Amino acid sequence: MNAFDWDAVGEALPLLLEGFRVTLLATVLGTLVAAVLGLAIAVAGRAPSRLVTVPVKAVMEFIRSTPLLVQLVGAAALFTSVEPLTIGIVVLGVHYATYTSEVYRAGIDGVPKGQWEACRALSLSPRRTWQAVILPQAVRNVLPALGNYAISMFKETPFLAVITVQEMVFEARKYGADHFAYTEAFTLAGLVFLVASYPTSLLMRKLEKRLGH
Amino acid sequence: MATDSAPLKEPADATPATGTAAVEPLVRFDKVVKRYGDHVVLDELDFTVRRGEHVTLIGPSGSGKTTILRLLMTLEKVSDGVIWVDGSPLSHVRTADGSLKPAGEKQLRESRKKIGMVFQQFNLFPNMKVLQNITEAPVNVLGMAREEAEARAVDLLDLVGLSGKVDAHPSQLSGGQQQRVAIARALAMRPEILLLDEVTSALDPELVAGVLDLLGDIARSTDITMLCVTHEMNFARDVSKKVLMFDAGRVVESGSPEKIFSDPEHERTREFLNAVL
């Protein structure tokens, strides 16, 4: 009874891989949202007007001070007519944007003061200063850190199961319940996570080295 | 015909006749004060620079020389007083009742177009190739066509002796080469006034002479007005027409380089020159 059922592993694998597609989709799109929104928050945080910076800070504090799980359930309850997967992607993206914005902020702060002064001395517009000079340098500095957040988000996608998104862990639980083979299904899911994220983090480390961090 | 055009012509003739344009210096500091908290860097500073003049600012560290350039580049705001450039306030705008108030960022950006600056640390954009460093502002600020801007950039690189480095990245260049690119970048905006802030201080000793020679060439071959903060007394002597000696935020003494270097009037100038020469 306690023996590891290898047949169950073979049976569960196709189901889990089906779920893995959803996991991957949520991660990629969620990362995209986090990357773009985080950048917008970081730039808005440097706005000269407190009318912009204060509300942005307040929302960020709120999101960072509450658990992802609660935000998912809350959003699902608020927007009942929206697809659970869409809610999951947006909530993941927004949640992580509050962290990536800090990463971008550090990257922007890391651009030497002389770069801003050179832009001013050349009369570049604020828009051109950001677009052509500051952001390309800032983003290059933070790419590895952003990659690490993407991996971390990847491992948090199982929370989406709570709002009925049929990602991999959702499938694993379903298979486990149907066949009473939780150990096999969850071990397999864990292995798939490992196989996917370990090479990615190796890749990130390589990227970090190439960028000279 | 003649009678029709006469009233139109008259004011046009009258403008140069007033002569103020010829007398008005290109740069005039009018009781300029710069404070950081309680620390007064410039104390009611008055001085003028005529069009085409090459002025060197010398003086001990902390005497406010670099601050003057930074104020002119509008990288810093004056605490009090007014800087006039070509008869207009540099960092102020006239209100309806004729008084002056600090200018907004947009107006400052307009003012800056006449002025270029070369920095001690070069401040080239590391994410752009040499050519793009030079064309960025002409294309995006002056609205120059890219082909024209690139052709001019190639000419400027030729002028600064780096014609082979069009496609290089700044990180592939020596300090001296980077500073030459920075000079080309500033010149590409065709500034009326070029500010040089200790442009050789960050260079290895063997690279200093080349950059100074280049600046000397530019000074001799253009009518650009130059304000130069330097510790290179040779440059002050050979290139500039006027030397201003600063101490504690004031002009202690000013005059031709011959006068200042051979026969300084002020004790403070003598002390300073003894220390650096």
Side-chain angles (χ1 to χ4, degrees), chain B residues 201-231:
Chain B
S201 300
L203 299 180
D204 289 339
E206 75 270 23
L207 302 174
V208 171
V211 170
L212 291 182
D213 284 349
L214 169 64
L215 290 171
D217 287 346
I218 293 168
R220 278 183 289 274
S221 61
T222 66
D223 55 2
I224 216 164
T225 307
M226 287 162 83
L227 267 81
C228 179
V229 168
T230 186
H231 294 120

Side-chain angles (χ1 to χ4, degrees), chain A:
Chain A
M1 189 65 208
N2 274 340
F4 198 82
D5 182 356
W6 289 98
D7 290 343
V9 171
E11 213 174 70
L13 188 61
L15 286 172
L16 260 58
L17 288 180
E18 192 63 30
F20 183 68
R21 274 184 39 209
V22 177
T23 298
L24 215 55
L25 183 71
T27 308
V28 169
L29 294 182
T31 301
L32 216 64
V33 172
V36 174
L37 187 63
L39 182 59
I41 295 172
V43 175
R46 294 181 71 106
S49 164
R50 289 170 62 97
L51 282 175
V52 178
T53 56
V54 171
V56 166
K57 267 205 187 110
V59 172
M60 291 226 315
E61 276 312 317
F62 174 76
I63 293 174
R64 261 190 255 165
S65 313
T66 52
L68 178 63
L69 189 63
V70 173
Q71 288 163 15
L72 280 167
V73 173
L78 274 175
F79 306 101
T80 43
S81 58
V82 182
E83 278 275 298
L85 179 59
T86 312
I87 290 181
I89 288 166
V90 171
V91 171
L92 268 179
V94 171
H95 186 87
Y96 272 86
T98 64
Y99 295 100
T100 54
S101 68
E102 287 297 307
V103 171
Y104 282 119
R105 194 183 54 79
I108 292 165
D109 288 349
V111 176
K113 213 175 95 220
Q115 293 290 309
W116 293 92
E117 293 186 346
C119 290
R120 276 216 253 171
L122 292 168
S123 302
L124 293 186
S125 65
R127 188 197 153 92
R128 199 62 203 160
T129 299
W130 280 106
Q131 186 185 323
V133 179
I134 304 301
L135 289 183
Q137 295 179 51
V139 170
R140 187 180 190 277
N141 289 340
V142 302
L143 268 183
L146 289 180
N148 288 332
Y149 273 115
I151 294 171
S152 159
M153 185 192 290
F154 174 61
K155 291 180 297 177
E156 293 216 79
T157 50
F159 279 127
L160 301 193
V162 175
I163 57 166
T164 72
V165 175
Q166 303 188 0
E167 47 66 62
M168 188 166 55
V169 172
F170 181 94
E171 296 290 357
R173 206 172 45 172
K174 190 156 153 267
Y175 183 86
D178 291 351
H179 301 86
F180 206 69
Y182 285 107
T183 316
E184 290 78 2
F186 275 88
T187 307
L188 193 56
L191 275 174
V192 175
F193 270 112
L194 181 69
V195 166
S197 52
Y198 185 61
T200 316
S201 43
L202 282 186
L203 213 73
M204 292 318 301
R205 233 169 286 167
K206 227 178 183 169
L207 179 71
E208 261 177 71
K209 261 208 195 111
R210 259 195 56 185
L211 293 176
H213 284 268

Side-chain angles (χ1 to χ4, degrees), chain B residues 4-258:
Chain B
D4 281 353
S5 62
L8 284 175
K9 239 184 144 188
E10 199 176 15
D13 284 345
T15 314
T18 59
T20 49
V23 180
E24 174 72 25
L26 184 59
V27 176
R28 183 155 63 86
F29 275 56
D30 182 7
K31 293 203 165 39
V32 170
V33 177
K34 180 62 186 174
R35 273 182 237 108
Y36 296 100
D38 287 341
H39 180 57
V40 179
V41 183
L42 300 179
D43 187 10
E44 299 208 343
L45 177 69
D46 289 318
F47 81 95
T48 59
V49 178
R50 288 201 308 273
R51 188 178 291 278
E53 214 168 25
H54 306 136
V55 179
T56 305
L57 315 180
I58 63 170
S61 311
S63 59
K65 311 174 302 269
T66 289
T67 305
I68 289 166
L69 299 194
R70 294 178 61 82
L71 286 171
L72 264 169
M73 196 66 255
T74 67
L75 298 175
E76 312 267 352
K77 292 191 171 84
V78 294
S79 307
D80 209 351
V82 181
I83 300 171
W84 298 85
V85 173
D86 211 4
S88 307
L90 175 76
S91 49
H92 291 79
V93 284
R94 244 183 258 277
T95 54
D97 64 7
S99 62
L100 295 173
K101 65 164 187 156
E105 181 58 29
K106 254 204 176 117
Q107 287 134 343
L108 289 178
R109 222 183 314 145
E110 260 330 287
S111 301
R112 284 182 197 126
K113 285 186 190 170
K114 291 179 190 166
I115 305 174
M117 183 160 182
V118 182
F119 298 88
Q120 184 177 353
Q121 299 294 342
F122 333 134
N123 296 348
L124 292 181
F125 304 133
N127 56 315
M128 299 178 191
K129 288 179 176 179
V130 163
L131 189 75
Q132 203 193 345
N133 260 282
I134 301 172
T135 58
E136 172 64 30
V139 170
N140 291 290
V141 178
L142 303 181
M144 198 181 281
R146 184 163 296 278
E147 301 73 49
E148 189 193 349
E150 285 180 359
R152 290 195 58 231
V154 168
D155 288 347
L156 283 167
L157 281 173
D158 201 32
L159 173 80
V160 302
L162 290 175
S163 27
K165 301 292 184 185
V166 171
D167 284 322
H169 276 279
S171 59
Q172 297 166 320
L173 304 180
S174 72
Q177 291 172 326
Q178 289 192 48
Q179 195 59 296
R180 287 158 184 271
V181 174
I183 291 166
R185 180 174 72 171
L187 291 176
M189 288 295 279
R190 293 208 174 102
E192 289 177 38
I193 305 168
L194 185 62
L195 309 174
L196 303 161
D197 184 17
E198 302 196 23
V199 294
T200 56
S201 300
L203 299 180
D204 289 339
E206 75 270 23
L207 302 174
V208 171
V211 170
L212 291 182
D213 284 349
L214 169 64
L215 290 171
D217 287 346
I218 293 168
R220 278 183 289 274
S221 61
T222 66
D223 55 2
I224 216 164
T225 307
M226 287 162 83
L227 267 81
C228 179
V229 168
T230 186
H231 294 120
E232 296 290 334
M233 293 305 140
N234 290 332
F235 181 74
R237 197 175 351 220
D238 299 343
V239 177
S240 58
K241 294 282 172 333
K242 184 165 147 188
V243 175
L244 296 178
M245 166 72 196
F246 279 84
D247 191 36
R250 285 176 172 277
V251 180
V252 176
E253 186 169 355
S254 77
S256 69
E258 296 79 28

